[in-house]
Amino acid sequence: MTPHFTLKELTQSSTAQRLGLDNTPTAKALANLQRTAEMLERVRAHLGVPINITSGYRGPVLNKSVGGATSSDHLQGMAADVVAPKFGTPYEVAKALAPHLQVLGIGQIIYEKSARSEWVHLSTRVPEKPANRVITIVVGKGVQMGIQRV
């Protein structure tokens, strides 16, 4: 798709593999994945280090299997969850990217944290409510505006 991001990387899922699910994107999702990969290239260049995709496209069955929101941008190929260990923690990555949404083509950035891990959700879709463009989500505890240390 781009010099540093392949379709395989954007669609791979250990959950899909374990459950025997087909995670082949639709034609529309494939077009969106191209734009997502291009955005990820800009993010990679901005950070100056490789970024790892922990979750990209998710078909409806896979999305439900992992507990994803029914309105998730992952379903449309418009989002990727990433980490960049050579840059820093997901919090540090989110803080570094948040001021540069326009130039990087990021529609929404979410710093997400669960009991077991943390990651940065990057979407090419711009939310209807501007306040939802840069947020922090702690799984089970809710949403906070901006990128917050939690």
Side-chain angles (χ1 to χ4, degrees):
M1 300 201 90
T2 64
H4 298 101
F5 301 100
T6 65
L7 179 59
K8 181 179 178 182
E9 191 175 14
L10 286 160
T11 58
Q12 70 185 3
S13 165
S14 58
T15 301
Q17 189 174 25
R18 182 172 41 83
L19 299 175
L21 302 174
D22 180 9
N23 198 42
T24 303
T26 63
K28 184 175 180 180
L30 189 57
N32 290 335
L33 281 169
Q34 181 65 47
R35 286 188 289 282
T36 299
E38 291 165 1
M39 178 260 298
L40 292 173
E41 284 289 346
R42 291 187 294 274
V43 167
R44 185 184 193 279
H46 180 79
L47 295 176
V49 298
I51 58 176
N52 303 324
I53 299 170
T54 60
S55 182
Y57 172 76
R58 297 192 300 241
V61 177
L62 175 58
N63 191 61
K64 185 174 182 176
S65 297
V66 300
T70 56
S71 61
S72 173
D73 289 340
H74 290 276
L75 288 160
Q76 305 302 319
M78 298 174 78
D81 295 339
V82 302
V83 294
K86 289 185 178 181
F87 183 86
T89 66
Y91 170 79
E92 292 166 331
V93 169
K95 285 296 273 189
L97 296 175
H100 307 284
L101 300 185
Q102 290 297 114
V103 70
L104 297 174
I106 299 171
Q108 182 183 48
I109 183 170
I110 306 173
Y111 166 52
E112 295 189 68
K113 188 171 185 174
S114 72
R116 295 179 303 178
S117 64
E118 57 185 308
W119 60 95
V120 180
H121 171 93
L122 300 172
S123 174
T124 57
R125 184 186 61 82
V126 178
E128 289 181 24
K129 295 180 182 178
N132 290 334
R133 193 142 188 221
V134 179
I135 58 178
T136 296
I137 297 177
V138 179
V139 177
K141 295 188 179 179
V143 177
Q144 298 176 40
M145 297 297 112
I147 304 300
Q148 305 297 325
R149 188 177 295 278
V150 289

